[in-house]
């Protein structure tokens, strides 16, 4: 049986953070959006009768703003309409100020078994600059509630390369997250467009690289595996849903702006379009238009892309190079049924010559330097797909 992940997008937030470019921040609306989500899930299900769901991820936005009752309804519709594996990983993204012990107990009872907490920093002044609306104490309290309510598997999201951030400040953030016994820590380098008012206050790239290496060192010493460029986990606690994105495995996205990657055409795509076996779809972005589209057309698909084998393969490399486990070279031929094109070969050789990529017998992997300059490799692949 084929496997499928389901991503549910809840785009509502109490407030839009200054650095955020996600499809999020809309004023909370529960009734109509919830109804549309459930309808989309029910309509989509008939296209996935031969799939088993092994990961579900509620992201946003701030899904934890929704009541446990609403989450229960969404999950119940998935359980009812899809075949869900008994050990399915079911994650909810949450913010520290939208959680209480009672709420978390109800989320757990509804079926969630993993929480991902957006902390970003423990430093009060950084939280203020980032316009986060929670305090350091609220993060600590939220983690205590998460643990007491039965979640042994949870992630803490942190950022580094914050405005004028010192190495010591960054280390304190990381050590604090470790002291809270998180099984998984994501730490992302804050990146902002040049015109952003905070841009001039960001530390230099070299300083950010030092933080990255320092962080890696601290986490390794604490038993964490660096499994993806921005993600660390204790063995067995890697995020199975996010791994699907990086391995380019099938997932269905529901909700406003949600994206999907599928290998067969779902029923709501006009059958006149040939199916290449690598399909990317994305939904209408604003919650209002999304709700209307589901009501009028039964689906909310705004973009449909049939990738060629070359585009799919390049997409695959963009995701797969983020995973630090070496990539067996034979795998891409097996999966994409093709040899490597001259253009791809040239890009790989260029980065090999720059000391960013290496080949070891039949495996491709990032060098230590390549881990620090990953974006410079990926941009070549992104450009390749944009040009084609
Ligand atoms: S809470 Fe998260 S999703 Fe919402 S605006 Fe802030 S960073 Fe973006």
């Amino acid at each position: 049986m084929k496997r499928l992940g389901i991503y549910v997008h809840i785009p509502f937030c109490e407030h839009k953070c200054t650095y955020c470019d996600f499809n999020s921040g809309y004023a909370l609306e529960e009734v109509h959006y919830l109804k549309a989500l459930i309808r989309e899930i029910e309509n989509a299900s008939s296209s996935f009768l031969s799939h088993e769901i092994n990961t579900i991820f509620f992201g946003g936005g701030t899904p934890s703003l929704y009541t446990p009752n609403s989450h229960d309804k969404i999950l119940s519709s998935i359980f009812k309409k899809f075949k869900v594996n008994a050990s399915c990983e079911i994650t909810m993204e949450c913010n520290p100020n939208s959680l209480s012990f009672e709420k978390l107990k109800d989320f757990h009872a509804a079926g969630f078994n993993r929480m991902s907490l957006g902390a970003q920093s423990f430093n009060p002044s950084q939280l203020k600059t980032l316009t986060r609306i929670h305090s350091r104490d609220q993060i600590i309290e939220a983690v205590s509630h998460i643990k007491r309510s039965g979640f042994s598997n949870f992630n803490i999201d942190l950022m580094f390369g914050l405005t004028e951030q010192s190495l010591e400040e960054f280390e304190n953030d990381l050590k604090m997250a470790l002291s809270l016994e998180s099984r998984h820590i994501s730490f992302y380098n804050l990146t902002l467009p040049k015109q952003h008012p905070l841009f001039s206050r960001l530390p230099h790239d070299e300083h950010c690289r030092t933080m990255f290496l320092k962080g890696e060192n601290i986490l390794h010493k604490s038993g964490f595996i660096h499994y993806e460029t921005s993600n660390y986990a204790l063995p067995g606690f890697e995020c199975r849903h996010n791994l699907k994105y990086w391995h380019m495995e099938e997932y269905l996205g529901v909700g406003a702006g949600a994206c999907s990657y599928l290998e067969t055409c779902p029923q709501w795509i006009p059958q006149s379009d040939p199916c290449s076996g690598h399909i990317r779809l994305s939904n209408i972005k604003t919650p209002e238009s999304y709700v209307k589209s589901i009501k009028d057309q039964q689906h909310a698909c705004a973009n449909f892309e049939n990738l060629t084998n070359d585009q799919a393969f390049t997409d695959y490399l963009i995701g797969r190079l983020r995973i630090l486990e070496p990539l067996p070279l034979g795998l891409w031929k097996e999966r994409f049924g093709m040899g490597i094109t001259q253009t791809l070969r040239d890009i790989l050789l260029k980065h090999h010559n720059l000391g960013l990529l290496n080949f070891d017998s039949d495996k491709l992997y990032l060098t230590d330097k390549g881990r620090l300059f990953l974006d410079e490799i990926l941009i070549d692949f992104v450009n390749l797909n944009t040009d084609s």
Side-chain angles (χ1 to χ4, degrees):
M1 189 168 256
K2 293 205 266 181
R3 290 181 167 173
L4 181 76
I6 295 184
Y7 173 79
V8 181
H9 192 66
I10 312 280
F12 311 109
C13 295
E14 281 181 78
H15 138 98
K16 183 78 180 172
C17 304
T18 182
Y19 59 89
C20 175
D21 63 356
F22 295 129
N23 182 34
S24 66
Y26 304 96
L28 180 64
E29 196 282 298
E30 212 150 342
V31 181
H32 298 104
Y33 192 78
L34 180 69
K35 217 169 148 188
L37 266 182
I38 292 175
R39 191 183 277 189
E40 190 186 11
I41 290 166
E42 290 177 350
N43 291 344
S45 62
S46 57
S47 295
F48 301 97
L49 299 176
S50 56
H51 285 76
E52 182 183 59
I53 311 304
N54 64 342
T55 66
I56 303 173
F57 194 103
F58 283 56
T62 311
S64 50
L65 283 179
Y66 262 24
T67 61
N69 188 34
S70 294
H71 280 296
D72 189 41
K73 284 185 180 153
I74 303 168
L75 272 185
S76 298
S77 70
I78 297 176
F79 292 147
K80 197 166 141 207
K81 290 289 185 176
F82 289 82
K83 288 184 198 81
V84 180
N85 185 289
S87 59
C88 183
E89 175 193 88
I90 309 180
T91 304
M92 184 196 296
E93 283 186 335
C94 53
N95 272 344
N97 53 312
S98 59
L99 294 175
S100 67
F101 176 60
E102 283 68 32
K103 213 172 173 183
L104 279 156
K105 265 200 323 192
D106 292 343
F107 288 153
H108 195 259
F112 289 93
N113 50 31
R114 184 173 184 273
M115 281 281 146
S116 178
L117 184 70
Q120 315 313 348
S121 174
F122 290 90
N123 181 302
S125 133
Q126 293 290 5
L127 288 173
K128 197 168 165 210
T129 308
L130 291 170
T131 67
R132 298 292 296 181
I133 51 171
H134 60 80
S135 66
R136 175 185 190 276
D137 289 349
Q138 279 175 314
I139 306 173
I140 296 167
E141 195 184 8
V143 172
S144 157
H145 291 330
I146 287 172
K147 291 199 279 197
R148 280 199 306 127
S149 56
F151 291 94
S152 54
N153 186 1
F154 67 95
N155 164 58
I156 293 182
D157 266 350
L158 287 178
M159 290 198 292
F160 70 99
L162 303 177
T163 53
E164 290 113 22
Q165 190 178 32
S166 68
L167 198 55
E168 191 190 353
E169 200 184 290
F170 161 72
E171 278 187 58
N172 288 341
D173 270 356
L174 206 49
K175 284 177 182 164
M176 189 67 210
L178 283 170
S179 75
L180 295 175
E181 299 173 321
S182 184
R183 307 290 204 271
H184 188 288
I185 293 180
S186 301
F187 75 98
Y188 293 93
N189 193 171
L190 174 64
T191 51
L192 295 170
K194 277 199 173 92
Q195 64 276 15
H196 194 284
L198 295 178
F199 183 82
S200 60
R201 295 175 56 194
L202 297 181
H204 290 295
D205 289 352
E206 198 48 49
H207 186 56
C208 291
R209 285 194 274 275
T210 309
M211 287 190 212
F212 178 87
L213 290 173
K214 187 81 198 170
E216 187 178 65
N217 192 277
I218 293 172
L219 288 163
H220 276 163
K221 278 189 188 152
S222 302
F224 280 69
I225 300 165
H226 188 186
Y227 73 100
E228 189 271 345
T229 188
S230 305
N231 285 283
Y232 294 78
L234 290 177
F237 287 93
E238 297 86 351
C239 177
R240 282 159 37 201
H241 184 83
N242 285 342
L243 278 167
K244 275 189 194 293
Y245 300 144
W246 302 315
H247 279 288
M248 206 164 137
E249 291 170 355
E250 287 189 287
Y251 58 89
L252 168 72
V254 294
C259 300
S260 308
Y261 168 73
L262 300 171
E263 292 178 352
T264 46
C265 259
Q267 282 172 1
W268 60 93
I269 294 301
Q271 293 303 308
S272 54
D273 286 328
C275 183
S276 68
H278 303 289
I279 304 152
R280 290 213 182 270
L281 304 151
S282 59
N283 274 352
I284 292 168
K285 274 196 159 176
T286 65
E288 228 178 31
S289 316
Y290 163 79
V291 169
K292 186 169 179 330
S293 179
I294 294 285
K295 204 169 160 201
D296 297 346
Q297 309 184 61
Q298 311 298 313
H299 72 81
C301 182
N303 292 299
F304 162 67
E305 211 185 344
N306 229 335
L307 303 178
T308 63
N309 231 12
D310 282 3
Q311 285 172 323
F313 179 51
T314 310
D315 257 20
Y316 169 71
L317 280 181
I318 291 169
R320 184 56 181 81
L321 282 172
R322 300 184 62 90
I323 299 178
L324 300 182
E325 187 190 345
L327 163 61
L329 295 178
L331 201 74
W332 67 46
K333 200 157 185 189
E334 197 182 296
R335 184 159 170 200
F336 297 92
M338 56 185 273
I340 185 164
T341 63
Q342 189 58 43
T343 321
L344 273 175
R345 188 186 300 272
D346 290 347
I347 295 176
L348 293 173
L349 279 177
K350 170 184 151 188
H351 294 294
H352 176 258
N353 293 338
L354 288 169
L356 305 178
L357 284 177
N358 217 345
F359 300 90
D360 179 7
S361 60
D362 60 346
K363 292 198 173 76
L364 170 68
Y365 63 93
L366 290 174
T367 60
D368 286 348
K369 189 176 167 195
R371 284 185 296 119
L372 295 171
F373 292 90
L374 179 62
D375 285 350
E376 301 195 11
I377 306 173
L378 297 186
I379 194 72
D380 277 349
F381 293 119
V382 172
N383 288 340
L384 194 64
N385 262 4
T386 316
D387 296 344
S388 58

